[in-house]
Amino acid sequence: MSGSVPGPARDWTVGTAPGIFPFIGHGVDLVRRPLAFLNSLSQHGDLVEIRLGPQRAWMACHPDLVHQVLRDPRTFDKGGPLYDRLRMLLGDGVGTCRHQDHRRQRRMLQPEFRKARVADQVRLMGEEVESVCRAWRAGQMVDVSAAMMDLSTRVVSRVLFSDSLDTDTAAEMRRCLATVFRGMFVRTVMPVDALFRVPTPANRRYRHASDRLRAIVDAAIAQRRRGTPHDDRDDLLGTLLSATRTGGATAITDGEVHGQVLTLMFAGVESTALCLSSALELLGRHPEEERRLHSEVDAVLAPGQPPGRDELPRLLHTRRVLTETLRHRPPGWLFTRVTTQETELAGHRLPQGATVMFSPYLLHHDPALFPDPDRFLPDRWLPAQAGAVPPGAMIPFGAGSRKCIGETLALTEATVALSFIARHWRLRHLPGRTERPRPAASLGPRELVMAGEPRTRRPAGTPPRADSPAPGATVVPVVHDSRTAGGHDVRDA
């Protein structure tokens, strides 16, 4: 029998999740109570068999097994229900392609995601978060989820296309992505094609959103191609179009350009937006952590200014807040792989073509790996404590050669955004309103609305930048209520 190198010698346990329903299987549990279902699996073994519709799948519940899967992409290739659906939508981009195509694609794109290159984009990140926050006003509710999606859409569009998408197109792109992410999740956990060929309103919305995303990308590529022959702007699209004119092994087709742009747009927008929304939601429920964050950003950032590349290394607690957010609520929470040959995992023989699943959320909430896993504790990531985290237990961006290429970009954008927002705004939860994370293809709050309270008074004569809503502003006017907004009677932390 061929296959991957076995993990560390130990007595593995292999089990089957209870509650299998005919035909639909555990898809019902994953749709109705996904996080509770995931947290229940470890009690049934290190490797647990579940059912996704008529298909069997195996969930790796121990970090050593997940490590084995991620370190052997030749045997455990990108595949299974999630990536089969993604390929139908995105094509074979760097995030979805098979193992044999990955190295070529990764080498082509990697220079655009190196730390030095990302550092050059800090300014544009600051410009976009400042633009988004400019619409916020004291005494209004802020649709945080929509604002963070707007922000990440703006940043990704500039990284990909140089020029930001116009306001209407960016808003449409955000809506389409949200629809597709929800539809993708349902199609992953219940991979029964007949269910999604029925012309229900939800299926029609999914198809329309998918078509519009493709059209937006097609229009951006066509617009660039209509430019001058030497219009090779310093962005990802320029890099991709240059590769179409390069001979040899690095050349790519026009179809691959389309697939890569869609893949990077799909991967880069919602995950960062949900991380930021989760961080703001958690900080609103943990005032002591909020005060510590305010203390740091007040000491590091000048009033009215986003951080530059020199300030970012000093935002240590800000980064710990984001790291703990990624542990507590990893946007990438459930993934699939498919075996390319017969192999062994946890002492259990898997046939070729078997679906293997792993969940960062499951690992991040295992009390054996993270004590008090449901508590939000940024100090877990102080150097003295972070060293106690078992290897392979913290995987918000995956691991191995298929680790997310955009990790540095996403963390930098999140740090710029969170520090700027915390420097100038305090966001309060509304009384009696609870926003729960809603798992789709990504995990996080999608309808988070909070009350905005500016942290400092504006000096007399200051232009009313924060008091004039911009077109498409994600704010909702409300009757003044000191319980929710605090009006203009604000305090500094």
Side-chain angles (χ1 to χ4, degrees):
M1 179 177 61
S2 62
S4 55
V5 177
R10 54 163 287 167
D11 293 328
W12 296 109
T13 58
V14 180
T16 300
I20 295 178
F21 298 98
F23 188 65
I24 296 178
H26 293 101
V28 171
D29 289 323
L30 277 167
V31 170
R32 290 183 176 176
R33 53 182 195 95
L35 304 183
F37 176 72
L38 285 177
N39 283 339
S40 73
L41 293 179
S42 296
Q43 63 186 294
H44 302 293
D46 300 311
L47 183 68
V48 180
E49 181 183 342
I50 64 175
R51 294 272 183 171
L52 301 177
Q55 301 179 16
R56 290 193 300 171
W58 284 265
M59 180 74 73
C61 300
H62 191 282
D64 290 349
L65 297 181
V66 176
H67 180 83
Q68 181 181 340
V69 169
L70 294 180
R71 294 292 181 181
D72 187 4
R74 186 182 299 275
T75 301
F76 300 96
D77 203 355
K78 288 256 178 125
L82 173 61
Y83 290 103
D84 292 345
R85 303 289 178 180
L86 282 172
R87 288 192 188 100
M88 292 172 62
L89 174 66
L90 307 177
D92 284 320
V94 68
T96 59
C97 67
R98 297 290 188 181
H99 171 73
Q100 63 267 24
D101 295 326
H102 178 254
R103 179 174 294 184
R104 174 181 64 88
Q105 295 192 23
R106 182 100 180 193
R107 284 179 173 174
M108 175 183 64
L109 294 171
Q110 191 66 61
E112 296 293 323
F113 292 93
R114 288 180 177 147
K115 290 183 178 180
R117 176 64 170 150
V118 171
D120 292 337
Q121 295 163 339
V122 169
R123 179 186 57 80
L124 75 83
M125 295 173 183
E127 290 172 355
E128 295 301 346
V129 68
E130 188 176 7
S131 178
V132 167
C133 292
R134 190 175 299 160
W136 298 0
R137 298 178 64 186
Q140 288 183 319
M141 292 190 296
V142 179
D143 187 337
V144 175
S145 296
M148 295 304 99
M149 280 289 285
D150 186 27
L151 169 63
S152 59
T153 299
R154 290 167 179 249
V155 171
V156 167
S157 70
R158 288 187 67 178
V159 170
L160 283 171
F161 311 126
S162 289
D163 304 320
S164 295
L165 300 177
D166 63 76
T167 301
D168 290 341
T169 303
E172 183 182 19
M173 178 173 149
R174 172 170 55 81
R175 291 192 299 270
C176 290
L177 284 168
T179 299
V180 168
F181 266 83
R182 177 61 184 169
M184 189 69 66
F185 170 57
V186 176
R187 287 160 173 77
T188 297
V189 300
M190 291 193 290
V192 183
D193 288 340
L195 295 175
F196 306 109
R197 288 196 292 267
V198 180
T200 63
N203 287 341
R204 288 197 297 268
R205 285 194 298 271
Y206 179 84
R207 286 193 291 270
H208 175 74
S210 301
D211 291 343
R212 286 301 302 149
L213 281 177
R214 294 189 189 97
I216 290 170
V217 170
D218 287 343
I221 294 174
Q223 183 180 19
R224 181 67 60 86
R225 286 195 182 281
R226 287 194 295 270
T228 65
H230 301 291
D231 187 15
D232 290 332
R233 277 178 269 185
D234 191 19
D235 56 22
L236 266 167
L237 181 56
T239 297
L240 291 168
L241 292 176
S242 294
T244 65
R245 301 188 292 269
T246 302
T250 59
I252 65 173
T253 66
D254 288 346
E256 286 180 302
V257 172
H258 178 98
Q260 296 291 7
V261 170
L262 264 176
T263 297
L264 295 169
M265 179 189 296
F266 194 80
V269 171
E270 191 175 69
S271 57
T272 305
L274 291 176
C275 174
L276 282 165
S277 296
S278 290
L280 293 168
E281 195 275 337
L282 289 164
L283 287 166
R285 300 196 184 281
H286 296 82
E288 180 55 37
E289 296 299 342
E290 183 187 54
R291 282 191 289 271
R292 294 176 65 193
L293 177 63
H294 288 167
S295 178
E296 177 175 88
V297 298
D298 290 351
V300 173
L301 303 186
Q305 297 297 318
R309 63 169 68 191
D310 294 334
E311 287 82 24
L312 286 178
R314 298 166 57 195
L315 295 169
L316 299 177
H317 187 68
T318 307
R319 185 60 68 93
R320 288 194 292 270
V321 167
L322 289 168
T323 302
E324 177 66 353
T325 299
L326 289 169
R327 183 204 65 81
H328 198 277
R329 294 183 187 169
W333 66 288
L334 185 64
F335 298 97
T336 63
R337 295 291 190 270
V338 65
T339 57
T340 59
Q341 57 187 330
E342 185 178 298
T343 190
E344 188 174 285
L345 187 65
H348 183 73
R349 183 173 297 186
L350 298 177
Q352 180 180 354
T355 295
V356 177
M357 306 181 74
F358 67 95
S359 168
Y361 183 91
L362 186 157
L363 296 184
H364 296 179
H365 286 259
D366 185 340
L369 305 174
F370 296 96
D372 296 320
D374 292 330
R375 295 184 63 191
F376 179 66
L377 301 172
D379 280 354
R380 292 180 200 271
W381 305 104
L382 288 168
Q385 298 188 36
V389 175
M394 178 69 175
I395 54 167
F397 295 96
S401 62
R402 302 301 296 259
K403 188 176 184 180
C404 177
I405 193 172
E407 176 182 8
T408 299
L409 179 68
L411 285 175
T412 302
E413 178 188 343
T415 304
V416 170
L418 183 61
S419 60
F420 181 83
I421 292 170
R423 180 67 177 86
H424 300 96
W425 289 90
R426 180 180 284 119
L427 295 172
R428 299 298 194 200
H429 285 286
L430 305 179
R433 180 163 180 163
T434 301
E435 168 65 18
R436 300 185 184 280
R438 293 171 53 193
S442 300
L443 172 66
R446 288 178 168 76
E447 297 178 355
L448 177 63
V449 176
M450 303 178 76
E453 177 182 311
R455 294 188 56 226
T456 56
R457 294 178 181 272
R458 286 187 291 106
T462 300
R465 297 172 60 191
D467 289 329
S468 301
T474 50
V475 295
V476 182
V478 296
V479 176
H480 172 71
D481 186 339
S482 60
R483 295 173 302 170
T484 59
H488 291 278
D489 183 16
V490 299
R491 299 164 295 166
D492 208 355

